[in-house]
Amino acid sequence: FLFYPQHLIKGDLWPDAFKLLTNHKFIACRLSSLGIENGVQIHMHDIESVHKIVLRDKKKSGKIDCYNVMDLINSIVFNIVLFEPTGNRISNTQILLIQIENIKKA
């Protein structure tokens, strides 16, 4: 979860990295394994890397593409808001409180 997107980006497979970074299951697993703050920080770094490459390629080719950085940002925000810690048995009230706190962080 930590290095795979950067591996794709450095391998010039940024369309695959874009798809991975918008994949809700990947984001949820990343947030669960790395924690919200660390996971979001790493995810945002990956988003910035993809965005820089997309801009570079746009300048080279002059083409407009469908890769929008806001799609990436919306994906991570959506997952932060809906994030539920796994492995612990907690009540719906506690989950709601966590989600409200996540909305504030987003």
Side-chain angles (χ1 to χ4, degrees):
F1 295 110
L2 190 58
F3 299 112
Y4 188 55
Q6 283 296 317
H7 176 72
L8 292 172
I9 293 164
K10 289 177 183 176
D12 208 26
L13 299 170
W14 61 263
D16 294 333
F18 184 95
K19 289 176 190 169
L20 182 65
L21 292 171
T22 56
N23 182 298
H24 296 295
K25 288 182 182 180
F26 175 78
I27 297 169
C29 289
R30 192 176 229 193
L31 295 178
S32 291
S33 63
L34 300 174
I36 283 196
E37 291 184 25
N38 192 34
V40 168
Q41 189 174 37
I42 291 168
H43 205 79
M44 290 305 296
H45 173 73
D46 292 341
I47 288 170
E48 289 173 11
S49 297
V50 168
H51 184 61
K52 287 177 186 175
I53 291 174
V54 169
L55 290 178
R56 180 199 70 196
D57 287 357
K58 276 185 185 180
K59 287 179 184 177
K60 283 182 184 177
S61 68
K63 294 181 181 178
I64 296 176
D65 54 44
C66 62
Y67 298 98
N68 183 348
V69 72
M70 285 310 297
D71 291 341
L72 295 171
I73 293 171
N74 289 338
S75 292
I76 189 71
V77 169
F78 176 78
N79 278 280
I80 291 169
V81 170
L82 296 180
F83 180 73
E84 294 181 23
T86 56
N88 296 332
R89 296 270 182 209
I90 57 177
S91 70
N92 288 338
T93 303
Q94 289 172 310
I95 290 173
L96 182 60
L97 291 173
I98 291 168
Q99 289 174 340
I100 289 170
E101 186 63 30
N102 292 344
I103 289 169
K104 291 177 187 176
K105 288 180 183 180

